[in-house]
Amino acid sequence: KLKQINGMWRMAYVSPKWISQLSVKALRDERTSGMSSHDKRPDGLARYGINVRTNRLELQWKNGFILDADHNTSIALMTNGSVHDAEYQFGKTFFDVNQKNGYAQLMFETDFTPEHNLSIGASVNYDHYSQDLDFYHPFIGDKANLFGADEETTSGFYAQYTYKLGEMLTVMPGVRWDYSSEYGSFVTPRLHVKYSPSEHVTLRASAGKGYRSPHALAENVSLLASGK
């Protein structure tokens, strides 16, 4: 059984030099599954049941300032914040997770010529995870509690160059440098190439590397419904 409520409020302001967009999103999601009346047994006998409740609130604000329209020169500021709270029950397994995220990016872009474009910027990302897992274990006891809270802040700079030869060739090399409060500094290069020898044929190639901080259980909650 599923019950979900979605809400969104969005506004936009557009002028010759400034474009601004603001949006607020809210989500309430409730899911119930498992054996019938699993939560209504008066005799206390366990029946397998699944209960999932999710609340999410997200705020996004984007601003773009045009500095030179002839060369597509602009500067943009993008911010995003969210709170995601979820509670899961799979039989005798209970998992609660709460994520708070904040992100901001400042970007500058310009066309030197119609063929050459440069984009540079800086960004910062903040993540706070709070996780609690309670489950029945025959050897440990009635319940065992794992996990806790952790947070990470990652800030960095990037640069990307784009070369366009009409509609035939596009080459985009780029590089990022970031510093993580958990893992220190690291560099992530990348390269994208698109070649269209005719209007019916397009060849694409990409290379690069990237890093992310995994949260294994929060990203694979469905495994808790199994015996794994």
Side-chain angles (χ1 to χ4, degrees):
K1 293 182 179 180
L2 168 65
K3 180 169 67 176
Q4 186 180 100
I5 300 174
N6 284 278
M8 181 179 70
W9 176 81
R10 183 172 61 186
M11 62 155 283
Y13 173 79
V14 180
S15 71
K17 292 290 186 179
W18 178 32
I19 299 175
S20 181
Q21 296 181 354
L22 177 66
S23 66
V24 180
K25 300 178 183 179
L27 166 70
R28 169 78 176 191
D29 186 282
E30 297 179 354
R31 299 167 186 256
T32 303
S33 185
M35 301 177 70
S36 301
S37 303
H38 67 264
D39 57 348
K40 299 178 181 179
R41 287 295 298 264
D43 52 12
L45 296 178
R47 288 184 176 181
Y48 187 80
I50 297 176
N51 292 296
V52 179
R53 181 194 59 80
T54 304
N55 292 317
R56 180 176 177 84
L57 180 64
E58 184 175 356
L59 173 66
Q60 188 177 68
W61 190 24
K62 298 180 179 181
N63 290 276
F65 302 91
I66 300 174
L67 305 178
D68 185 350
D70 294 334
H71 292 85
N72 292 321
T73 303
S74 63
I75 187 170
L77 174 64
M78 292 169 281
T79 60
N80 184 285
S82 65
V83 177
H84 188 100
D85 184 76
E87 297 178 358
Y88 301 89
Q89 177 194 356
F90 301 98
K92 293 185 177 181
T93 300
F94 298 84
F95 178 56
D96 298 340
V97 58
N98 180 279
Q99 180 198 17
K100 297 179 179 68
N101 175 264
Y103 177 80
Q105 178 181 3
L106 183 65
M107 180 179 69
F108 172 81
E109 185 173 358
T110 187
D111 291 340
F112 297 119
T113 68
E115 294 82 17
H116 302 276
N117 172 273
L118 177 66
S119 175
I120 58 175
S123 65
V124 59
N125 184 76
Y126 171 78
D127 257 325
H128 180 277
Y129 269 86
S130 177
Q131 303 180 78
D132 290 292
L133 174 64
D134 295 309
F135 61 96
Y136 174 78
H137 195 287
F139 302 109
I140 298 177
D142 185 31
K143 288 185 179 180
N145 183 270
L146 300 179
F147 297 100
D150 64 274
E151 62 181 15
E152 179 185 5
T153 301
T154 304
S155 56
F157 306 90
Y158 76 90
Q160 177 178 279
Y161 165 73
T162 303
Y163 172 73
K164 291 184 178 181
L165 184 61
E167 297 295 327
M168 179 180 295
L169 179 65
T170 301
V171 181
M172 296 174 57
V175 63
R176 279 193 66 98
W177 176 89
D178 290 282
Y179 180 82
S180 164
S181 60
E182 282 286 317
Y183 305 105
S185 61
F186 50 93
V187 177
T188 50
R190 68 179 182 179
L191 174 65
H192 299 286
V193 179
K194 184 182 76 169
Y195 177 61
S196 301
S198 70
E199 61 177 332
H200 303 293
V201 178
T202 298
L203 304 175
R204 300 175 185 266
S206 298
K209 66 176 182 178
Y211 298 92
R212 62 184 296 270
S213 297
H215 297 275
L217 191 54
E219 297 167 6
N220 300 275
V221 176
S222 59
L223 293 179
L224 295 178
S226 70
K228 298 181 180 179

